[in-house]
Amino acid sequence: MSRLSLRTLPRGGAGVRVPVDRPRRVGVVHLGIGAFHRAHQAVFTEDAALAAGEDDWGICGITQRSATVLDQLVPQDFLYSVLERGGDDRVRVVGQVADVLFAAESPAQTRSAIADPGVSVVTLTVTEKGYRRRADGGLDLADPAVAADLSGASSTAVGQLVRGLQARARGDAGPLSVLSCDNLAGNGGVLRRLVREFCAALPDGEGEAIGGWVEEHVAFPSSMVDRIVPATSAPDRALVAQRLGVTDHGVVVAEPFRQWVIEDDFAARRPAWELAGAELVDDVAPYERLKLRTLNATHSLLAYLGALRGHATIAEAVADEELRGWAEGFIREDVAPTLAADGLDVLAYGGQVLDRFANPALRHRTAQVAMDGSQKLPLRVLPTVRARLDAGATPEGGALIVAAWMAYVARCRDGGAFVLEDPLAERLLTAVGDRDDAAGIVDALLGVEEVFGADLREVGRFRDALTAHLRALLTVRRGSAS
């Protein structure tokens, strides 16, 4: 069977959509062109360009960690398909990506892409850990990759961005908007701070010059993104090949639902994303809090508790009536009170989220969602925990999620089917050591300030709730057949 390309692109048909046209030139650079970007921002951008009748919003994607995306898309003229799973499975070929670069192999081209006068927007999906932050939220200047970037390399997202901005300033290429699409509260403000700190850490003269230019010419709007994008499986690729009549090495899978809320604060022109269904608002913060504390936190709850119970996918976990009840209780008792002032219907949103998670066609693996817990818990779960503690309540649901993560870490220590994929894996496993008592594990992991700060280990009622939940989880594990 032939491979997807401009030459072999099918005409479309029932349940298949193909691009109407290709962009004439690049207008957006994206750092982190993984599956989520291709199923989300690229789709919104293609729809916006089509609706506005504009052909200058092609995307130059920068892959951060490997050349896999190049191998997938370059032979296909950068075409790939999105398989929407749920009810009627639909296949859509996306043609908005115009170029892909591997930053490690093409640092000069990466800088040039950001410096291109035709580019007015840079977007990012580099995951929480890609921002290289300390526990207090600042740029981790002790990180070897950050230190190398300050000396002239460009291996981190912030380093790549600043080096590109320097080239843009030298070329007088005009203002730029840098739009974070990662699961960070106030992600625009977070990125602005990191860029400022990187500039300030550059040698005298160099940092001051680029820092001043950034303040005058670069905007950092925040955004909230939402679409479930599980890992692509062999059956997914086979279904796409059947529908298209050609093989696609770049298939991404997604649910039908998609949402993008964007702060309307841009320094230059942008795609008309609102014509594709995006919401342009003055303040993204309420939407961010709702998604992080409800969807993302509940995703983690189902991932850890589901994995511990032997559920391979999130859909299996949410179909477990007890786990769904715990998720509903967490949303009702812990999350909703912390978001009451935002005026959004938390319970209705939470019910919609759990229904989306129940889509069995997505097969979103619990192990995939469980990755990088040390980076996710401080953003998804601990704000709710702290808010409830400040209100004088004991966040039992939040404590259950943290305890489930602790049980998962302990299980990874024992080997077998559980593997701890986390940037702090060695630190966490060393902290747990050979402890097998709940109180000891709780105290050891609460002492990891990169995750919990210095405050939570001092709150007795939270520590007691953690210990009780972890003891129950460890008891179930010891008594199970697995």
Side-chain angles (χ1 to χ4, degrees):
M1 186 178 290
S2 300
R3 187 166 175 180
L4 177 64
S5 68
L6 286 174
R7 182 181 59 82
T8 64
L9 182 64
R11 292 180 180 273
V16 174
R17 175 177 169 179
V18 298
V20 174
D21 206 348
R22 298 298 299 278
R24 177 175 51 86
R25 65 175 177 83
V26 169
V28 177
V29 170
H30 182 80
L31 303 183
I33 184 168
F36 185 82
H37 168 74
R38 285 182 276 156
H40 189 277
Q41 298 95 42
V43 171
F44 270 98
T45 302
E46 183 170 82
D47 285 349
L50 179 62
E54 297 174 336
D55 62 359
D56 55 352
W57 292 117
I59 298 168
C60 175
I62 312 294
T63 179
Q64 303 290 308
R65 292 189 292 268
S66 77
T68 300
V69 179
L70 270 77
D71 297 337
Q72 291 174 340
L73 300 190
V74 171
Q76 299 184 174
D77 300 316
F78 307 109
L79 297 172
Y80 65 91
S81 55
V82 176
L83 172 60
E84 289 190 358
R85 287 285 205 177
D88 296 331
D89 293 333
R90 295 180 177 274
V91 177
R92 169 180 181 162
V93 178
V94 178
Q96 203 63 22
V97 175
D99 196 9
V100 177
L101 301 171
F102 181 23
E105 294 179 350
S106 306
Q109 291 93 323
T110 298
R111 292 192 293 271
S112 296
I114 296 172
D116 182 348
V119 169
S120 57
V121 179
V122 172
T123 53
L124 297 88
T125 50
V126 296
T127 75
E128 294 94 334
K129 65 183 177 183
Y131 289 79
R132 309 278 180 156
R133 298 196 298 167
R134 301 187 305 267
D136 65 1
L139 185 64
D140 187 359
L141 298 176
D143 185 309
V146 175
D149 281 4
L150 289 168
S151 298
S154 55
S155 63
T156 70
V158 172
Q160 291 160 11
L161 181 57
V162 172
R163 295 306 181 186
L165 293 175
Q166 287 180 309
R168 191 175 185 89
R170 288 193 297 267
D172 194 22
L176 186 74
S177 301
V178 181
L179 180 63
S180 172
C181 303
D182 281 300
N183 286 320
L184 303 169
N187 49 24
V190 168
L191 187 54
R192 180 189 293 110
R193 173 185 177 182
L194 298 179
V195 167
R196 285 174 173 171
E197 292 181 359
F198 189 97
C199 292
L202 289 168
D204 292 342
E206 181 185 9
E208 184 177 348
I210 186 57
W213 188 90
V214 168
E215 292 296 322
E216 185 175 350
H217 294 90
V218 182
F220 294 88
S222 291
S223 78
M224 185 278 281
V225 297
D226 190 2
R227 194 174 203 185
I228 298 173
V229 181
T232 303
S233 67
D236 296 324
R237 296 187 185 91
L239 176 58
V240 169
Q242 180 186 19
R243 294 284 182 88
L244 296 181
V246 293
T247 60
D248 177 8
H249 292 208
V251 176
V252 293
V253 181
E255 65 173 332
F257 179 91
R258 68 183 192 190
Q259 184 183 21
W260 197 2
V261 183
I262 307 170
E263 181 184 6
D264 194 4
D265 180 25
F266 288 80
R269 65 186 295 263
R270 58 165 177 80
W273 285 311
E274 67 275 18
L275 298 182
E279 301 171 71
L280 275 293
V281 299
D282 293 331
D283 185 9
V284 174
Y287 301 91
E288 289 177 336
R289 286 191 290 267
L290 180 64
K291 192 224 174 186
L292 282 166
R293 299 189 189 188
T294 309
L295 184 147
N296 295 118
T298 307
H299 222 191
S300 292
L301 180 153
L302 294 167
Y304 294 118
L305 290 172
L308 291 170
R309 285 198 170 192
H311 297 308
T313 68
I314 295 296
E316 291 175 11
V318 79
D320 183 319
E321 291 186 5
E322 188 171 26
L323 295 194
R324 180 161 185 146
W326 288 343
E328 291 171 340
F330 167 68
I331 295 168
R332 181 179 61 252
E333 304 297 333
D334 283 356
V335 178
T338 73
L339 299 180
D342 289 341
L344 300 174
D345 192 335
V346 178
L347 298 184
Y349 177 78
Q352 180 193 50
V353 162
L354 292 176
D355 289 343
R356 288 165 57 198
F357 287 165
N359 182 350
L362 292 177
R363 297 197 58 78
H364 207 176
R365 294 181 298 109
T366 52
Q368 180 187 7
V369 181
M371 291 170 57
D372 304 330
S374 70
Q375 312 296 296
K376 293 174 178 176
L377 289 181
L379 299 167
R380 302 178 173 197
V381 180
L382 299 187
T384 295
V385 166
R386 289 188 170 94
R388 296 301 287 147
L389 291 172
D390 289 344
T394 299
E396 291 290 345
L400 175 62
I401 301 174
V402 176
W405 171 75
M406 290 179 170
Y408 188 86
V409 171
R411 185 76 176 271
C412 292
R413 168 199 61 185
D414 299 337
F418 286 68
V419 177
L420 188 60
E421 296 189 49
D422 192 290
L424 296 184
E426 184 176 355
R427 173 90 168 83
L428 299 172
L429 294 174
T430 299
V432 172
D434 59 358
R435 295 177 176 84
D436 59 6
D437 64 301
I441 293 173
V442 166
D443 286 341
L445 289 176
L446 281 181
V448 181
E449 292 191 9
E450 297 95 319
V451 180
F452 296 102
D455 58 322
L456 289 178
R457 66 172 177 256
E458 305 299 331
V459 184
R461 67 183 188 279
F462 179 58
R463 190 172 60 248
D464 291 345
L466 277 177
T467 302
H469 285 304
L470 182 59
R471 184 177 295 115
L473 291 170
L474 294 177
T475 299
V476 169
R477 177 188 152 216
R478 282 197 297 269
S480 67
S482 60

